[in-house]
Amino acid sequence: MESAPDPGTMTELLGECPLLRARAADSGVDLDDTPESLTALDQLAPDWRDGEEDELSGLGNDAGLYLGTVVVRTVPGAAWTLRPNGDPVVRLASGREIEVVEIGHAWAESGSPELSQVLAESSED
């Protein structure tokens, strides 16, 4: 039976988000794993919505993983966990799980919910 990955390693790996980081950098936004960077992402012009479906899907996936990375790094007691099917979710100290990848896809497709708002709600839990 395989052991669960080290939480620090999971955060590093899941936080890579190369497509999102490249898009943000092209727009002058530095993704430094802070709440402010989520606000900056929320304010980007969503020109990717007119692009290819594969890019939109990849960007949504990255946005969710980046959101999760910021939550894990800034919300006390938050941690990555893997579902039995391998999907990463963030579990808050309260036990509530945040489906960050689903949220990232919704954000990439429609701009809602705002990533910064998800973080704020997670901080209140």
Side-chain angles (χ1 to χ4, degrees):
M1 183 172 175
E2 291 183 30
S3 62
D6 171 65
T9 301
M10 273 185 70
T11 299
E12 290 300 317
L13 290 173
L14 295 175
E16 288 180 0
C17 313
L19 181 58
L20 181 68
R21 287 183 187 277
R23 280 294 195 133
D26 289 347
S27 298
V29 174
D30 178 33
L31 298 185
D32 57 0
D33 300 349
T34 63
E36 294 78 19
S37 65
L38 291 177
T39 301
L41 280 174
D42 287 335
Q43 295 173 358
L44 288 180
D47 57 355
W48 59 80
R49 291 187 190 131
D50 298 327
E52 295 182 24
E53 186 67 30
D54 285 346
E55 183 178 12
L56 182 62
S57 178
L59 193 63
N61 194 60
D62 278 9
L65 295 176
Y66 184 71
L67 167 63
T69 298
V70 175
V71 171
V72 167
R73 291 184 189 269
T74 61
V75 176
W80 284 109
T81 188
L82 295 176
R83 294 248 167 96
N85 66 0
D87 289 347
V89 295
V90 173
R91 180 173 290 138
L92 301 176
S94 67
R96 182 169 72 97
E97 291 184 347
I98 303 172
E99 305 268 355
V100 291
V101 174
E102 286 182 19
I103 292 168
H105 281 277
W107 175 83
E109 292 169 11
S110 68
S112 181
E114 290 186 341
L115 302 177
S116 58
Q117 183 61 36
V118 174
L119 174 64
E121 291 169 0
S122 300
S123 299
E124 296 169 357
D125 211 34

